[in-house]
Amino acid sequence: MAQITSADERRRSLKPLRRLFPYITHYRTLVVGAIISLVIAAATTLALPLAVRRMIDHGFSSSSTTFIAEYFAALVAMAALLAAASAGRYYFVITLGERVVADIRRDVFAHVTTLSPAFFDTAQSGEIVSRLAADTTQVKSAVGATASVALRNVILGLGAVGMMVITSPKLSGLVIAAIPVIVLPLVAFGRSVRRKSRQAQDTLADATAYASEQIGAVRTLQAFTNEKLVTGHFSAAVEAAFEAARSSIFARSFLTFFAIFTIFSSVVAVLWFGSRDVLEGSISPGTLGQFLLYSVFAAGALGALSEVWGELAQAAGAAERLTEI
């Protein structure tokens, strides 16, 4: 029972991804470049609402067009900086993902070649090949694009929340109070996604292993005219893999729906309270616009993290399977 509980706890966390850290730290230059690009992109994005606020409060009330022209020129410069930082982030993180996965494939294969013959008496060669191919692809996604998106949205979300507090503490209190209501269900749904993702990967590996074994013994298969029997078994295995994948996809879809609906509904509610403050004169229209943009940034970051969490859960399942070899 203790072993079952321990295995269940592993499936509920992202701890298997920790085994990737030694591979990542080998390439500090790529990591530092990615982090710098992420910070620049996030800081540039967070600076945009400040310009919008001043333009609303001062630009449109001025008779001179010079003020507005200067702000639009500044926005163009910020857009160029954001584009350059985003391009740098893409280059560094994708290169890092490819490099790390190449190292993992090399090490896993080298380890497999040192295992005793008794291991191969019970393990199916097709399943091992599946782990080298499919599971490492999942890991590449986590180390590359998924981790980058997660870190970017964490920085952007925290920065947006901080600027929201500076802009309007009252409205920020309403938003922060709603965060636990949103985040806690996301964590619970993420655990379910990870469990279903692991099941989908296992069933796909079983189907691949069965096909590999039968193709390897195709002469014997044809000698006993078992083509239809083997095809039927493989079709059943493929259908089982599809059903497991569909269950995982449905769980991730529901997670995305819940996150986006609750997050943006809370933004609408806060905007309603803010509009009342504008009518009462306690805040300016530009301040409300600035707060709204930061709210959208924070909501978008949380929504993206809900999707990223599901992808990281899949990668954690793949990393766990690789470590079992």
Side-chain angles (χ1 to χ4, degrees), residues 180-215:
V181 179
I182 299 172
V183 172
L184 293 179
L186 291 181
V187 174
F189 290 148
R191 292 175 177 176
S192 175
V193 169
R194 185 169 188 270
R195 183 174 61 253
K196 293 180 182 297
S197 298
R198 173 62 189 265
Q199 293 173 353
Q201 291 163 354
D202 287 341
T203 53
L204 177 61
D206 291 340
T208 304
Y210 181 79
S212 178
E213 296 297 330
Q214 296 304 320
I215 292 174

Side-chain angles (χ1 to χ4, degrees), residues 21-319:
F21 289 164
Y23 291 96
I24 297 174
T25 54
H26 285 167
Y27 306 100
R28 292 184 177 87
T29 301
L30 293 175
V31 174
V32 171
I35 292 176
I36 292 175
S37 299
L38 282 168
V39 172
I40 293 175
T44 304
T45 303
L46 292 173
L48 291 174
L50 296 174
V52 172
R53 172 187 177 180
R54 289 186 58 84
M55 190 166 57
I56 293 175
D57 287 343
H58 305 290
F60 294 117
S61 62
S62 175
S63 59
S64 175
T65 60
T66 304
F67 184 86
I68 297 178
E70 291 176 351
Y71 265 86
F72 273 104
L75 289 175
V76 172
M78 294 171 67
L81 180 60
L82 177 61
S86 299
R89 174 182 65 88
Y90 178 83
Y91 171 79
F92 286 120
V93 299
I94 297 301
T95 303
L96 179 64
E98 294 287 352
R99 182 65 267 176
V100 167
V101 167
D103 292 346
I104 292 175
R105 285 172 174 162
R106 180 198 61 211
D107 291 348
V108 171
F109 182 79
H111 175 69
V112 169
T113 59
T114 62
L115 296 175
S116 65
F119 172 81
F120 296 96
D121 291 338
T122 57
Q124 295 178 313
S125 59
E127 183 178 358
I128 297 174
V129 172
S130 175
R131 297 190 184 192
L132 277 172
D135 291 344
T136 52
T137 300
Q138 290 280 0
V139 171
K140 179 177 69 174
S141 175
V143 176
T146 302
S148 169
V149 171
L151 184 57
R152 176 184 179 275
N153 283 285
V154 167
I155 296 174
L156 188 60
L158 293 177
V161 170
M163 293 303 297
M164 286 165 57
V165 173
I166 295 174
T167 303
S168 176
K170 174 185 175 181
L171 296 179
S172 300
L174 297 175
V175 174
I176 294 174
I179 289 178
V181 179
I182 299 172
V183 172
L184 293 179
L186 291 181
V187 174
F189 290 148
R191 292 175 177 176
S192 175
V193 169
R194 185 169 188 270
R195 183 174 61 253
K196 293 180 182 297
S197 298
R198 173 62 189 265
Q199 293 173 353
Q201 291 163 354
D202 287 341
T203 53
L204 177 61
D206 291 340
T208 304
Y210 181 79
S212 178
E213 296 297 330
Q214 296 304 320
I215 292 174
V218 66
R219 294 181 182 274
T220 304
L221 183 154
Q222 293 176 346
F224 288 92
T225 63
N226 284 336
E227 293 89 339
K228 291 185 178 180
L229 177 63
V230 170
T231 301
H233 287 170
F234 181 72
S235 297
V238 170
E239 284 299 317
F242 168 74
E243 292 298 333
R246 185 169 65 174
S247 177
S248 175
I249 293 170
F250 178 80
R252 289 187 60 186
S253 300
F254 184 79
L255 175 65
T256 302
F257 164 79
F258 178 83
I260 293 177
F261 177 77
T262 54
I263 290 170
F264 281 94
S265 295
S266 64
V267 170
V268 172
V270 171
L271 181 60
W272 180 72
F273 282 103
S275 64
R276 296 177 60 184
D277 291 341
V278 171
L279 294 176
E280 295 173 358
S282 57
I283 61 174
S284 67
T287 301
L288 179 59
Q290 175 181 324
F291 184 86
L292 176 61
L293 286 176
Y294 283 130
S295 299
V296 171
F297 289 165
L302 282 177
L305 285 174
S306 69
E307 298 182 16
V308 168
W309 181 268
E311 295 177 2
L312 288 176
Q314 286 184 323

